[in-house]
Amino acid sequence: MDLHGRSLISLKDFTPEEIRYFLDIARKVKNERQNKIRKQRFLGMTIALLFEKRSTRTRCSFETAFGEEGGHPVFLSSSDIQLGVKETVEDTARVLGRMFDCIEFRGFKTRHVELLAEYSGIPVINGLSDDFHPTQVLADLMTMEEQFGSLKGRKLAFVGDGRNNMANSLMIGCAKMGVDVAIVAPDELHPEAALVKMAEGFATEAGSSVLITSDVDAGVKGADVIYTDVWASMGEESKLAERIKLLKPYQVNPSLMAKTGKKSIFMHCLPAVRNNEVVPEIIDGPSSVVWDEAENRKHTIKAVMLALLGVENN
Ligand code: CP
Ligand code: NVA
């Protein structure tokens, strides 16, 4: 498999085989780290880490994964650089492309990640935009595989803000990898019809299914995974009061978990707001795998960088 030179904006642009490839490399690098096998596959390389929004897991994953393999990560927040402020995104991209081997971008507009990829001429990785969070979904798929042994035929129910970056990306990633996915959200917060249609197409090819529903009982029934995320994503904080009203019936608590009718696991991309989208009893309880998920961010992000930079076999 040769992914050298590609950019990762959304998993919609990658085939199930290519996603499988990322997951296989991630498992290999996790194993290396657990066995204290140190490699220097990024030696002499540089990555620009552009962050318009805050981050703990994503930044630390990129920075440690790249640095521990001999590469030099450069962190640039929006108060450090001109990105669409006093310089166009295209011009910033052209300059970064002359100096770096790779770019990570976390910000608002997905269009900006696309422009960075188009104009820099180097691989660009979306570290979260308003619409997508592809590297998180790779970590989620890896975690599910660790829990269940395989992905095909499992069911994940995302309960909460069904139109945010996580709902969108889980819908795409799960559908592609043969995981039945349900987006369980009030009507006002359902994903865009065009994206649902696209995910349904991926599901047909993979033999999985996509369900969009406001009915909690129907949506979570039979789910192996209950997944949730914050009720107001970064940049939408002013909507929180309205969201709390809309989403209260979708809170992940013991009664919602019981509706799966199974011994399901609980997942969350983090950061979490306890007593909004999930109660402590669940996120801090025995069904929660959120810390494995957080750790797997690092291994999957390293896998993506290795593949896009073409050094995964070094
Ligand atoms: N899950 C995730 O992306 O975490 P951070 O916002 O801390 O990077
Ligand atoms: N939906 C959340 C995800 C954080 C990792 C946000 O965009 O803030």
Side-chain angles (χ1 to χ4, degrees), residues 4 21 25 28-29 32 37-45 69 302 305-307 309-314:
H4 188 189
Y21 189 58
I25 301 172
K28 183 182 84 166
V29 299
E32 284 169 1
I37 299 167
R38 308 276 179 198
K39 301 258 188 169
Q40 293 283 283
R41 288 169 289 211
F42 297 127
L43 192 65
M45 291 184 174
E69 296 244 6
K302 187 186 271 191
M305 294 191 293
L306 286 167
L309 288 166
V311 292
E312 72 272 32
N313 295 318
N314 291 3

Side-chain angles (χ1 to χ4, degrees), residues 53 106 128 133 164-166 229-230 232-234 269-271:
K53 292 176 177 172
R106 164 171 288 204
L128 179 148
H133 197 4
N164 78 7
N165 41 22
M166 280 314 308
D229 183 13
V230 288
S233 287
M234 288 181 275
C269 55
L270 305 177

